[in-house]
CSV table of all heavy atoms in Angstrom, one decimal:
chain,number,residue,atom,x,y,z
S,12,PHE,N,127.8,11.6,-195.9
S,12,PHE,CA,126.6,12.2,-195.4
S,12,PHE,C,126.9,13.1,-194.2
S,12,PHE,O,128.1,13.1,-193.7
S,12,PHE,CB,125.5,11.2,-195.0
S,12,PHE,CG,125.9,10.3,-193.9
S,12,PHE,CD1,125.5,10.6,-192.5
S,12,PHE,CD2,126.8,9.3,-194.1
S,12,PHE,CE1,125.9,9.8,-191.5
S,12,PHE,CE2,127.3,8.5,-192.9
S,12,PHE,CZ,126.8,8.7,-191.7
S,58,HIS,N,171.1,-3.8,-172.3
S,58,HIS,CA,171.0,-4.1,-173.7
S,58,HIS,C,169.5,-4.2,-174.1
S,58,HIS,O,169.2,-4.5,-175.4
S,58,HIS,CB,171.7,-5.3,-174.1
S,58,HIS,CG,173.1,-5.5,-173.7
S,58,HIS,ND1,174.0,-4.5,-174.1
S,58,HIS,CD2,173.8,-6.2,-172.7
S,58,HIS,CE1,175.3,-4.7,-173.6
S,58,HIS,NE2,175.1,-5.7,-172.7
S,420,CYS,N,136.7,15.6,-188.4
S,420,CYS,CA,135.9,15.9,-187.1
S,420,CYS,C,136.7,16.8,-186.2
S,420,CYS,O,137.5,16.5,-185.2
S,420,CYS,CB,135.7,14.5,-186.3
S,420,CYS,SG,134.5,14.7,-185.0
S,470,GLU,N,118.3,8.2,-118.3
S,470,GLU,CA,117.4,7.2,-117.9
S,470,GLU,C,118.0,6.3,-116.8
S,470,GLU,O,117.3,5.8,-115.9
S,470,GLU,CB,117.0,6.3,-119.1
S,470,GLU,CG,116.1,5.2,-118.8
S,470,GLU,CD,114.7,5.7,-118.5
S,470,GLU,OE1,114.3,6.8,-118.7
S,470,GLU,OE2,113.9,4.8,-117.9
S,620,PRO,N,154.8,-127.4,-122.2
S,620,PRO,CA,154.4,-126.2,-121.5
S,620,PRO,C,153.3,-126.7,-120.4
S,620,PRO,O,153.4,-126.1,-119.3
S,620,PRO,CB,153.7,-125.3,-122.5
S,620,PRO,CG,154.5,-125.6,-123.7
S,620,PRO,CD,154.6,-127.0,-123.7
Side-chain angles (χ1 to χ4, degrees):
F12 66 101
H58 308 296
C420 195
E470 182 67 18

